[in-house]
Amino acid sequence: MARISPLSGFPEWLPEGRAVEHAVLETVRRTFELHGFAGIQTRAVEPLEQLLRKGETSKEVYVLRRLQAEESVDAGEDDLDHKALGLHFDLTVPFARYVLENSGRLQFPFKRYQVQSVWRGERPQEGRFREFTQADIDVVGSGALPFHFEVEVPLVMAEVFARLQQFGVPPVRIQVNNRKVAQGFYEAIGLADVEGVLRTIDKLDKIGPERVLATLQQENGASPEQAQSCLDLASISGTDGSIADRVLALGARSELLQEGLEELVTLVEAAQQRVPGTVVADLKIARGLDYYTGSVYETTLVGHEQLGSISSGGRYDSLASDGSATYPGVGMSIGVTRLVSRLLSADLVRASRSVPTAVLVAVTDEQTRADSVAIAAALRRRGIPTDVAPSAAKFGKQIRFADRRGIPFVWFPSPEGHQVKDIRNGEQVDADAQTWEPPAADLWPTVAPTV
């Protein structure tokens, strides 16, 4: 048999890792639903022209076509072979299309969550994959969307990550900025190339302040004084109203700047009351500000900042538009696969067992296997995950079979009366399949921080 060559960038967890991923996803879904977000799912493919509208380069999009695509098609026939299709690289583009197609049936503001795989043709490395799972939330309005949703969304995400700490997820820091602050400031000091300046400031952590200063002057038309003012703005961070005072102390004034500062202060002060220390205004955050129109969010794991952002998002004033109606939105996305990969690679979390089974029913001999199967069926009817030993080996071997999988209990059937053994401590007691049940903590696999 030929040796199988692995494909990099397409993670396949072992059962223990999948249990961790499942626990994370269930917590994410439950928290989203607690806040009124309804789950949806969209197709995996979109027309290439739609995928590329967000500015993604063609080399990052996987194209989809049928291997035996026909060369011709009858006029008017809707044949996917003759449409340029690609796998979606995020969940925003398909969601925008979903909103437009269903606008007449949705109730606005519409709060949705979506957990699906996405595909991106970039070079795999730690935390970056070609196929990965994202979990998104968005709030979309019809024509208008109140600012308070820009406060709600990061607070929902903060709650998600607070709940995930039970599984060993480190604390997070959600850094926030506002397009109106950046744009209002740059325009007030006389800079016209707002998007160019934003892209340059976004490189601050990568290339350092000296090269940023040079780039602002050489490529973005800034004078030395203007370039320094941009760096001074980017140095400001905080969790209260003092950030506005520090920005205004730089001397710039405009209505847009004032509006952005009021929104930013409202956000961080609300967060400071709800989740102290988690949400921080950081004016060097520029990623996404070239297409977001209000708040922007970036989330990192404390102590694992080198992994990069594990959750990001922001406000779009035109998430979707059909030419006559506009649907503004605000949302955030969690890179679930990136998060789980760090939990597993750093051994921060473990599953209590590799299988869902809580009880293994032993088989005395093959002639009485039907009795063991009947016991297992009785336990399953009562909601207890149960398996039957694969062979009528010596009981010691059947116990080792259970132990290797982390199954906590082995059931021994007997005409004289059944017994069940906790193989972790050796305790063995009489049991009835109609009444016995394991402790609640053992019913299903659990995920907990590594000790």
Side-chain angles (χ1 to χ4, degrees), residues 196-261:
V197 173
L198 289 170
R199 287 191 291 270
T200 299
I201 293 296
D202 189 40
K203 302 174 184 177
L204 190 56
D205 288 336
K206 294 180 181 179
I207 66 176
E210 290 186 3
R211 290 181 62 186
V212 166
L213 277 172
T215 303
L216 287 170
Q217 296 172 68
Q218 296 167 8
E219 299 181 12
N220 305 126
S223 68
E225 293 76 15
Q226 290 170 325
Q228 185 59 54
S229 292
C230 292
L231 280 187
D232 292 341
L233 179 70
S235 70
I236 295 173
S237 64
T239 59
D240 56 34
S242 66
I243 57 175
D245 297 332
R246 293 164 63 191
V247 171
L248 295 175
L250 298 177
R253 298 288 190 277
S254 76
E255 291 185 8
L256 186 63
L257 173 61
Q258 187 63 40
E259 181 181 346
L261 286 173

Side-chain angles (χ1 to χ4, degrees), residues 80-111:
L80 291 181
D81 293 333
H82 289 72
K83 295 182 183 296
L85 300 176
L87 295 171
H88 57 225
F89 56 82
D90 71 1
L91 299 180
T92 301
V93 172
F95 178 54
R97 186 262 310 159
Y98 178 94
V99 168
L100 291 177
E101 290 184 358
N102 295 283
S103 59
R105 292 176 288 179
L106 297 175
Q107 300 297 316
F108 294 100
F110 176 51
K111 300 173 71 172

Side-chain angles (χ1 to χ4, degrees), residues 89-150:
F89 56 82
D90 71 1
L91 299 180
T92 301
V93 172
F95 178 54
R97 186 262 310 159
Y98 178 94
V99 168
L100 291 177
E101 290 184 358
N102 295 283
S103 59
R105 292 176 288 179
L106 297 175
Q107 300 297 316
F108 294 100
F110 176 51
K111 300 173 71 172
R112 87 76 160 90
Y113 77 86
Q114 190 171 349
V115 180
Q116 280 186 242
S117 292
V118 299
W119 296 266
R120 195 168 296 175
E122 58 184 0
R123 183 173 65 86
Q125 53 186 299
E126 184 183 16
R128 291 191 177 276
F129 303 92
R130 290 169 171 164
E131 179 181 15
F132 53 97
T133 299
Q134 284 191 186
D136 286 22
I137 55 170
D138 280 275
V139 185
V140 180
S142 178
L145 185 71
F147 167 75
H148 65 78
F149 288 114
E150 295 180 50

Side-chain angles (χ1 to χ4, degrees), residues 324-335:
S324 59
T326 299
Y327 302 91
V330 58
M332 290 185 73
S333 172
I334 301 175

Side-chain angles (χ1 to χ4, degrees), residues 22-170:
H22 178 76
V24 169
L25 288 172
E26 283 303 300
T27 300
V28 169
R29 289 190 182 99
R30 184 166 61 250
T31 308
F32 288 166
E33 290 178 352
L34 283 172
H35 288 267
F37 290 84
I40 69 166
Q41 183 167 337
T42 59
R43 65 198 185 205
V45 299
E46 297 292 336
L48 278 177
E49 62 180 15
Q50 295 297 321
L51 290 174
L52 301 179
R53 285 180 62 185
K54 193 181 175 184
E56 205 76 3
T57 60
S58 59
K59 67 180 180 180
E60 295 176 333
V61 176
Y62 284 104
V63 176
L64 186 75
R65 68 184 297 271
R66 190 158 59 91
L67 183 63
Q68 299 294 332
E70 298 178 4
E71 294 300 324
S72 62
V73 64
D74 294 337
E77 184 178 349
D78 185 15
D79 189 333
L80 291 181
D81 293 333
H82 289 72
K83 295 182 183 296
L85 300 176
L87 295 171
H88 57 225
F89 56 82
D90 71 1
L91 299 180
T92 301
V93 172
F95 178 54
R97 186 262 310 159
Y98 178 94
V99 168
L100 291 177
E101 290 184 358
N102 295 283
S103 59
R105 292 176 288 179
L106 297 175
Q107 300 297 316
F108 294 100
F110 176 51
K111 300 173 71 172
R112 87 76 160 90
Y113 77 86
Q114 190 171 349
V115 180
Q116 280 186 242
S117 292
V118 299
W119 296 266
R120 195 168 296 175
E122 58 184 0
R123 183 173 65 86
Q125 53 186 299
E126 184 183 16
R128 291 191 177 276
F129 303 92
R130 290 169 171 164
E131 179 181 15
F132 53 97
T133 299
Q134 284 191 186
D136 286 22
I137 55 170
D138 280 275
V139 185
V140 180
S142 178
L145 185 71
F147 167 75
H148 65 78
F149 288 114
E150 295 180 50
V151 177
E152 177 181 352
V153 165
L155 291 181
V156 172
M157 282 300 187
E159 183 174 327
V160 167
F161 286 108
R163 291 173 180 268
L164 289 176
Q165 288 186 37
Q166 65 181 306
F167 304 133
V169 175

